Structures are given as structure tokens and as C-alpha cells.
Amino acid sequence: MNVKEYIESGILETYAMGLCTPAERAEVEKLVAQYPELVAELSAIEQSLEELAFACATEPPVHLKDKVLAAITDTRREGRVVDLHSSSTSKVVNETRFNWLAAASIALLIGSGAANVFLYNEYNDANQRIIALQTESSTLASDVEITKTSLSEAQGMLAFMSDTATAKITMGGLAISPQSKATVYWNKQSSQVYLAVNSLPMPAQNHQYQLWAIVDGAPVDAGVFEVTDTMQKMKTFTAPQAFAVTLEKMGGSAAPTMELMYVVGNV
Amino acid sequence: MPSLKIARNESELVALLMEGKPESFAHLYDHFSRALFGIVKRIVNDVEIAEDVLQDAFVKIWQKSSNYDSSKGRLFTWMLNIARNTAIDSTRSSYAKAQSKIQKLDNSVGIVNRKVSTTTAVETLDMNDQVNKLQPEQKVIIDMMYFRGYSQDEVSKELNIPLGTVKTRSRSALIKLRETFDIPLR
């Protein structure tokens, strides 16, 4: 299959917006499981839609949270384990006046019937246990996948930070916000730059912080970022002299707004 | 106030869902309720109905939480699909109710309003700076598909474009959106 053409068709966008037909849906899910490029592309599409939804968010009324929490405490989550129904068989044998041979054959017949019912129930129970276990194991497998991903992310970050070529540049707060602090990790060999926000005030609506690298005495855009507690990858630099953060309009500016500089630090 | 930050990362959020505890669910509510409410409100066009829909949607999310499969997409996409379907169902039933009460056309909500909403839709999305970088035709298609839950068919009919073009146009609109959010193309 031509992955590029498939991406260009726009089907992943339609899928991410929840508008695929059931057949398209099944196809996308099958292919996404096969091609890592599709996973990456789909995730980027979903992320952009998610950002858009957050950008166009509306605060629901405050009382709604309590209503929702009250409603869920009264509601059972659909279990992973299928309820195993208990089997009970009872047969009442009518007393008859047949001769012993007839009685014995009827008893045998009933006995084998009861055995059939019993075995059939056992078989059903076993089947349901298998389904329950399969469901549980696929859930566990996806849990493990999630954990693996976050572990490998953490390990990658640890390797980067402990690399002797990685310099740690602490950016201290300026007069506008003396408590502010952020840290840049810059690797001189790979030129990679990561940013950790230690403390910055939440930006006003439609504003965003932007990182600048000072190169040959002039500020160069290093990318905009969010105030989060995770490390953020910024643009790469081969020979920065210093780093600084300013508050800019959403999406960043071409030149820094000097009077809104929050933190700065020399390499 | 709408906030632009996404403070928790994806795996933390998924872990909160999987815990299945009301306390962790409350965090998920805090994180996602505004974004979901914004979209639900746009689909149903009525604040009170939107509240009911959001509540129903969160209850469904809770009930189905063990079905979420991160290999099939991000958590928000999954939650939004549930919320969007709940919202669309409610516009259909409220439309039916409106019809049975023989209400005046201009009072009814849902599908009737959806039909005339394309021009106003562009304005409602305008409040956001990033969305302003999109072309009007790109805004319209994102608004119809993502914020109002139109099917591909409905978009094709409404905009009078072939069904295949709906997909390619939604791709070009999203590429532009990704540029504005600084999410790289591969």
C-alpha cells in the first residue's frame, strides 16, 4: 500500500473527526495497526484538533461537576470480566410403574441427558472464562504499551540530561516577575534544546510564552511553548550565547517584546 | 475562562481513566469538560440541552472507560466521539419533539438551525486567533465537521462538492491548522 497516498486522501482527518463510515473506520484501524507512519500522522492530526477544541472551549456551569460525579457514583462501569452465570440443573423423575428394564433405560437416558446439560453448562462457562481472560489480557497488553512508551520517553530524557555535552542553563526572573524561573538544557553536540518551566505565571488568554536564543548578540526565535510540567523540545542551536523568555501574542512574534521579558540566562 | 494549556500529558490522563475511581474521574472532568462543552454547545445550540448532553456524555465515558484503546487514537478523540454522538442524538430527538409540538420553525433547535449555521459558524470560530489564519472555506469545513457533527454526506450536499473532495479539503484545512499550532508535518 502507498502510505503517502493514503495519508494525502484525507481519510485520517475524517477518522479523527469521528465522521468515517463503519467500513472506513475498520480499514483505518487495521492499517494504523500495521503502519507506524499512520500512527504518527493520526496522532498529529488528533493533537491539532484537540488544541483547537481547547482553544474554543467554554466553561460549563460550576454545579455540573457535582451532578456528573453524583451520577457516576450511581453508575457501574462496564466490567472487563464477563459475569459467569451459575449453572443449576434439577430434574424431577416421575415415579412410574414400568418394569425394571424400562425404568433402568429411562434412568440411563435421564442420566445421560443430565450429564449433557451439565457438560454443556461447563463448556459455556469455560468459553466465557476464555473470553473474559482474552479481554483482560488485551487490556493489560495495552496498559503495558502505555507504560513502555512513557518509560522510554523518560529514559531518553534521562540520557539527554546526563550527557556530559548537555549544558544546564538556569534562567532567572527579571524585574517584571522576580520569582519566575525556567531551565534550558542544551546539547552542544546534537544542538538539541529542551525547556523545563519551573515557575512562570499563567499567560493571559491569546498569549503565549516564546523562547529566544541569543546568537551573535541577536535574539533568534526558539519556538513558543506551554506552561506544563513536562519537558518541551525547542528549536536547535549550534552556538547560543544566552536564552530568554518573553510573553508574546498567540503563535509567537518575529522579534521579542523586550518589556515583557520574564527570564534570562547565559550559556 | 477558556484555557489554552494542556497541563497533563496523555499517559497521565489515560491512567486516570483506567483507575476507575470517582476521584480520578473528577480530574478528567476538570481537564476536558470545557473543551467538550464548547463543542457540545455548538452542536445543540442551547445551553440547557448542552448541560444535559455533557452530563450524559461523561456518564457514558465512565461506563465505557475500560473499552478505551490507546492504540486507536488519543483519549480526547475518543471522549469527543462519545460526546458528539450524544449531542447529535439529542438534536435529533429534540427536533422530533419540536415537530410534534408543531412549534414554529424559527424556535426549533437542532437540525433546522444546523442548516442555516454555516455563515454564523465562521463568525463563532473567529474569536480564536489561530483559527483566523485559516481561509474561510477551510474554517467552514472544520466547523461543520468537527464542531457541528455534520456527516461527510451532509457536508458534500451543503457545500455542493463531491464526496471525495470532502476528505481532501478537510486534509488541507487541517494542514493549515497544524501550521498554526506548530505541529510538524511528516
Side-chain angles (χ1 to χ4, degrees):
Chain A
M1 192 199 67
N2 186 329
V3 175
K4 196 166 161 10
E5 261 173 34
Y6 193 71
I7 287 175
E8 295 299 331
S9 75
I11 181 123
L12 294 179
E13 279 80 0
T14 320
Y15 175 82
M17 292 194 273
L19 300 177
C20 275
T21 61
E24 288 174 332
R25 213 183 157 71
E27 182 194 67
V28 170
E29 283 171 6
K30 195 181 116 216
L31 292 172
V32 163
Q34 284 175 333
Y35 297 93
E37 301 101 296
L38 294 183
V39 178
E41 180 68 14
L42 181 61
S43 154
I45 291 165
E46 287 184 291
Q47 212 185 326
S48 63
L49 287 168
E50 192 168 332
E51 297 254 8
L52 179 65
F54 275 80
C56 299
T58 314
E59 190 80 49
V62 185
H63 67 263
L64 198 61
K65 183 176 175 182
D66 290 336
K67 272 175 79 180
V68 167
L69 293 179
I72 63 149
T73 32
D74 293 339
T75 312
R76 268 192 53 176
R77 293 169 83 220
E78 285 170 12
R80 294 175 187 187
V81 180
V82 182
D83 264 355
L84 303 173
H85 74 268
S86 58
S87 68
S88 74
T89 55
S90 69
K91 288 259 173 184
V92 180
V93 184
N94 285 336
E95 273 185 37
T96 56
R97 289 176 184 278
F98 292 150
N99 65 43
W100 68 270
L101 200 62
S105 64
I106 287 171
L108 264 176
L109 184 67
I110 290 168
S112 105
N116 275 342
V117 169
F118 174 77
L119 289 173
Y120 180 70
N121 278 324
E122 286 286 290
Y123 168 78
N124 269 350
D125 284 354
N127 255 353
Q128 289 190 359
R129 277 191 212 107
I130 289 171
I131 293 167
L133 286 171
Q134 278 170 342
T135 317
E136 200 177 337
S137 97
S138 77
T139 317
L140 284 174
S142 74
D143 286 355
V144 167
E145 232 19 72
I146 295 166
T147 316
K148 262 193 203 159
T149 315
S150 55
L151 178 66
S152 82
E153 276 169 14
Q155 283 172 335
M157 198 43 77
L158 189 65
F160 176 81
M161 288 173 72
S162 57
D163 187 342
T164 50
T166 299
K168 178 183 174 187
I169 299 114
T170 307
M171 297 187 289
L174 294 170
I176 183 172
S177 175
Q179 284 86 36
S180 286
K181 197 184 154 197
T183 312
V184 163
Y185 296 88
W186 169 62
N187 189 294
K188 14 189 136 133
Q189 269 151 25
S190 67
S191 306
Q192 283 190 324
V193 174
Y194 279 86
L195 173 80
V197 176
N198 306 104
S199 162
L200 276 175
M202 264 309 151
Q205 204 197 335
N206 295 333
H207 286 74
Q208 221 173 2
Y209 288 110
Q210 187 169 5
L211 181 70
W212 303 90
I214 313 301
V215 181
D216 296 331
V220 181
D221 170 37
V224 292
F225 60 90
E226 305 293 336
V227 178
T228 74
D229 47 12
T230 50
M231 300 277 284
Q232 298 176 66
K233 190 168 196 244
M234 308 305 290
K235 295 185 178 167
T236 57
F237 288 94
T238 47
Q241 292 147 351
F243 285 94
V245 169
T246 60
L247 186 61
E248 303 293 340
K249 64 180 191 303
M250 189 54 65
S253 305
T257 310
M258 300 309 284
E259 57 273 23
L260 290 180
M261 185 173 285
Y262 278 69
V263 293
V264 68
N266 289 319
V267 174
Chain B
M1 287 306 284
S3 151
L4 295 169
K5 74 185 184 80
I6 299 176
R8 289 173 188 273
N9 70 32
E10 182 76 4
S11 44
E12 285 172 351
L13 291 164
V14 172
L16 285 173
L17 181 77
M18 293 303 171
E19 273 171 31
K21 293 185 194 144
E23 312 87 85
S24 24
F25 200 73
H27 289 301
L28 288 178
Y29 180 92
D30 290 339
H31 186 82
F32 289 114
S33 57
R34 275 167 290 141
L36 292 174
F37 192 63
I39 292 182
V40 163
K41 218 178 72 178
R42 282 179 163 86
I43 296 175
V44 302
N45 255 329
D46 178 297
V47 178
E48 276 174 33
I49 297 176
E51 285 176 32
D52 290 344
V53 166
L54 189 69
Q55 180 177 339
D56 284 356
F58 268 109
V59 171
K60 285 183 197 162
I61 289 165
W62 165 260
Q63 281 175 313
K64 294 172 188 289
S65 49
S66 57
N67 296 353
Y68 170 67
D69 178 353
S70 63
S71 71
K72 290 183 181 162
R74 287 171 69 87
L75 179 56
F76 180 70
T77 310
W78 179 77
M79 291 173 94
L80 178 58
N81 273 335
I82 293 176
R84 185 193 282 116
N85 289 338
T86 311
I88 291 171
D89 286 349
S90 98
T91 62
R92 286 187 184 137
S93 64
S94 59
Y95 176 66
K97 271 183 219 149
Q99 289 288 69
S100 69
K101 287 178 189 163
I102 322 175
Q103 281 185 346
K104 283 181 189 161
L105 219 93
D106 53 358
N107 283 342
S108 60
V109 293
I111 291 169
V112 172
N113 278 352
R114 286 174 63 195
K115 286 291 171 205
V116 296
S117 60
T118 35
T119 46
T120 49
V122 179
E123 286 153 29
T124 48
L125 279 183
D126 269 347
M127 62 192 196
N128 186 271
D129 278 354
Q130 274 132 324
V131 180
N132 275 341
K133 294 179 189 158
L134 302 179
Q135 302 291 323
E137 62 164 31
Q138 295 174 329
K139 261 189 251 179
V140 168
I141 205 157
I142 290 186
D143 182 70
M144 288 170 97
M145 295 178 82
Y146 193 57
F147 285 103
R148 297 191 191 261
Y150 276 59
S151 68
Q152 296 183 62
D153 257 342
E154 286 173 313
V155 175
S156 148
K157 289 198 183 98
E158 188 84 2
L159 298 182
N160 202 15
I161 54 175
L163 201 55
T165 312
V166 176
K167 287 198 190 71
T168 47
R169 199 177 281 185
S170 70
R171 169 147 181 93
S172 61
L174 277 188
I175 286 177
K176 185 73 191 167
L177 188 69
R178 275 159 75 174
E179 280 170 22
T180 73
F181 284 122
D182 221 9
I183 295 172
L185 289 164
R186 284 156 209 274

